Amino acid sequence: MVILKNNYLQVELDPKGAEIAKVIGNEDHINYMWKQDPLLWGHSAPILFPIVGALKNGKTNIEGKSYSMNQHGFSRNSVYEVEESDDTHVVFHLHENEETKTMYPYSFDLYVTYTLEDNILKADLEVVNERDDHIMFQIGGHPAFACPFMEGESANDYYVEFSQNETVSSKVIYPARGGMSHELKPLFENERRFFIRQALFNSDAIVVPHFKSESVALKSINHDKSLVFHMEGFDHLGLWTSNHVGGLLAIEPWVGHTDYVDFNGKFKDKEGIVTLNKGERFHCQFKIEINQ
């Protein structure tokens, strides 16, 4: 069973992990990863809204007034309503309330639909503006995955592979300086893959802007098992791991990103901001394909 609890995707397991094993196809594999870190399965896919990353000094100006929000916005700490559900899909709904209005002035409807199709978990994100003249927002996902997959492996055996050759540089986040730098670090020169090394993430996430690829895959040199992460409608991709967490790689599709260190503009001036006029809808999607 797939449920959303406090906006975190959770796969409920019976004692042997049979429920998720039906999707992934290898019960021993799931039991191993569950023992390594149960929270990784229970808290792995928050939705980022109405901002991605952090606001400079935690504040922004929206429609002439000052508002404060924590990193990644309030969605990931909100309780969604269940619109509909069955054994293979569930639709969650979040809308404005008195608490959100203290952080974000707009009325909105955010629908998050999770659907299981064979070995693929699909997440559709839709923002609807039915009540305000216009609304502005950023949106993204924050799923994280066990890495390595198998007992006895090292994360150093794993690599990230884009579906197309890319020539891109990575944007650089400096948390100690309070945001995104304008500095760029070369990532690919007509290439498509890199091996996972902790040093790559010592500053923060690798942030890839305006990529061509429809998907990225997480693969090992030791076997053919893989995780393929498909994306539609996002303009940035964040890849992140951390020493103090260990055992995971976050693959994060974003529309927009954290404020630049020298950003002094209003909310409407943020890079990647989406504006919806009354009656308009915005849709983006990511899919997680698990191959055994």
Side-chain angles (χ1 to χ4, degrees):
M1 180 188 300
V2 177
I3 63 174
L4 201 70
K5 186 175 183 180
N6 292 336
N7 193 36
Y8 288 97
L9 184 65
Q10 178 170 316
V11 180
E12 284 198 340
L13 304 175
D14 66 18
K16 294 185 178 180
E19 191 69 33
I20 187 62
K22 293 177 184 176
V23 179
I24 298 180
N26 186 322
E27 188 172 317
D28 291 337
H29 178 194
I30 302 309
N31 284 335
Y32 162 69
M33 289 195 288
W34 176 258
K35 290 174 184 176
Q36 295 300 104
D37 188 356
L39 291 180
L40 193 60
W41 289 94
H43 302 82
S44 59
I47 301 303
L48 314 181
F49 179 88
I51 58 171
V52 173
L55 300 171
K56 185 178 179 182
N57 299 321
K59 296 182 179 180
T60 191
N61 183 295
I62 307 177
E63 309 290 357
K65 294 183 179 179
S66 180
Y67 293 88
S68 298
M69 265 186 281
N70 291 332
Q71 183 167 326
H72 294 318
F74 51 75
S75 164
R76 63 180 183 157
N77 298 313
S78 298
V79 178
Y80 282 58
E81 299 170 356
V82 178
E83 290 286 305
E84 59 182 72
S85 66
D86 58 30
D87 289 343
T88 59
H89 95 291
V90 60
V91 180
F92 295 99
H93 179 204
L94 180 67
H95 56 82
E96 80 283 351
N97 55 47
E98 290 184 4
E99 184 179 5
T100 67
K101 287 282 191 175
T102 66
M103 297 176 277
Y104 178 73
Y106 300 116
S107 300
F108 66 91
D109 293 285
L110 171 57
Y111 296 94
V112 181
T113 303
Y114 291 103
T115 307
L116 282 170
E117 297 177 350
D118 297 323
N119 64 325
I120 295 175
L121 175 63
K122 182 171 65 171
D124 287 281
L125 316 182
E126 185 175 42
V127 183
V128 183
N129 176 19
E130 295 286 1
R131 292 178 291 284
D132 282 357
D133 178 65
H134 67 274
I135 66 174
M136 296 179 286
F137 61 90
Q138 297 173 323
I139 192 167
H142 201 313
F145 306 97
C147 180
F149 297 159
M150 310 300 292
E151 190 171 7
E153 290 188 302
S154 166
N156 290 332
D157 298 334
Y158 282 73
Y159 58 94
V160 173
E161 183 177 76
F162 284 66
S163 59
Q164 296 187 48
N165 281 11
E166 302 275 0
T167 298
V168 292
S169 295
S170 171
K171 294 183 176 180
V172 180
I173 300 175
Y174 286 117
R177 293 170 55 189
M180 182 80 73
S181 170
H182 291 284
E183 175 188 356
L184 296 174
K185 289 186 176 180
L187 181 64
F188 289 137
E189 182 65 41
N190 196 30
E191 300 168 281
R192 61 190 298 187
R193 65 176 65 92
F194 65 86
F195 277 86
I196 295 172
R197 298 291 183 266
Q198 182 60 46
L200 294 172
F201 306 94
N202 281 348
S203 172
D204 201 279
I206 295 172
V207 181
V208 186
H210 310 300
F211 48 91
K212 298 183 300 182
S213 295
E214 179 272 339
S215 65
V216 296
L218 180 59
K219 297 182 176 181
S220 170
I221 61 175
N222 300 316
H223 48 71
D224 293 332
K225 297 173 174 58
S226 68
L227 183 148
V228 183
F229 192 90
H230 303 266
M231 299 161 288
E232 179 183 317
F234 300 95
D235 57 16
H236 287 75
L237 176 67
L239 301 164
W240 178 84
T241 188
S242 172
N243 269 330
H244 71 272
V245 176
L248 64 81
L249 177 74
I251 303 176
E252 308 176 23
W254 298 340
V255 178
H257 57 69
T258 194
D259 282 352
Y260 286 106
V261 292
D262 61 352
F263 181 72
N264 292 307
K266 298 179 180 180
F267 192 71
K268 67 180 180 65
D269 302 317
K270 286 171 59 64
E271 187 167 291
I273 205 76
V274 177
T275 300
L276 283 187
N277 294 321
K278 190 173 184 179
E280 293 182 337
R281 295 170 176 258
F282 174 87
H283 174 261
C284 54
Q285 179 192 89
F286 63 86
K287 297 188 292 186
I288 301 163
E289 174 189 346
I290 301 173
N291 300 306
Q292 286 276 48

